[in-house]
Amino acid sequence: MPARPVSPWQGQGPVVAMVALGGAIGATGRYGASLLWPSQADGFPWTTFWVNVVGCAVIGVFMVVITEAWAAHRLVRPFFGTGVLGGFTTFSTYAVDIQKLVDEGHPGTGLAYLAATLFAALAAVWLAVSAARRALAWSRRRQR
């Protein structure tokens, strides 16, 4: 009996395509943010800071929604979580910004940026998850 051809919509192909598409969208959003709010070369990199904090908050809400409230299609998480939010947030730029600040004689600003981003990103995820869970519980109570 001849083997049945495998559909291109099976396997990892669609997952990779969705991550790539989402990544392009997220990176475009981050680039747009850098054009709207450019940071000073020797100052605190506020744009990257807020992009990362906002991205962390959105991932917190997103993960609650797709794990506790909605049975999402198998490509939603790769597209939005890994792709869009992975492309939007930029922890590699965060690391480069810290190194650049230190190399250019601003180690205090680099250290403040390192600590502030770490604290704010973790706090954003925690607050977003907590708020999303509370909102979900409230919504479920109202539906009864």
Side-chain angles (χ1 to χ4, degrees), residues 9 13 32-33 48 51-52 54 62 71 85 88 95 107-108 119 127 129 139:
W9 294 105
T48 303
V51 160
N52 287 334
V54 167
F62 175 68
L85 293 174
F88 183 68
F119 174 78
L127 289 169
V129 166
S139 173

Side-chain angles (χ1 to χ4, degrees), residues 11-71:
Q12 293 301 309
V15 173
V16 172
M18 289 297 102
V19 170
L21 177 63
I25 292 167
T28 300
R30 177 174 23 100
Y31 178 68
S34 73
L35 293 178
L36 287 171
W37 303 287
S39 297
Q40 294 176 348
D42 60 346
F44 194 92
W46 286 108
T47 304
T48 303
F49 174 82
W50 284 113
V51 160
N52 287 334
V53 171
V54 167
C56 285
V58 173
I59 196 76
V61 171
F62 175 68
M63 291 307 294
V64 168
V65 168
I66 68 166
T67 61
E68 299 176 23
W70 177 45

Side-chain angles (χ1 to χ4, degrees), residues 108-128:
T109 304
L111 185 60
Y113 177 52
L114 184 148
T117 298
L118 180 60
F119 174 78
L122 291 173
V125 171
W126 182 80
L127 289 169

Side-chain angles (χ1 to χ4, degrees), residues 69-90:
W70 177 45
H73 185 277
R74 75 179 188 97
L75 296 177
V76 171
R77 184 186 279 183
F79 170 73
F80 191 73
T82 305
V84 174
L85 293 174
F88 183 68
T89 59
T90 176

Side-chain angles (χ1 to χ4, degrees), residues 93-110:
T93 300
Y94 161 67
V96 169
D97 286 344
I98 293 165
Q99 185 64 52
K100 194 184 318 182
L101 285 165
V102 171
D103 289 348
E104 293 175 358
H106 306 284
T109 304

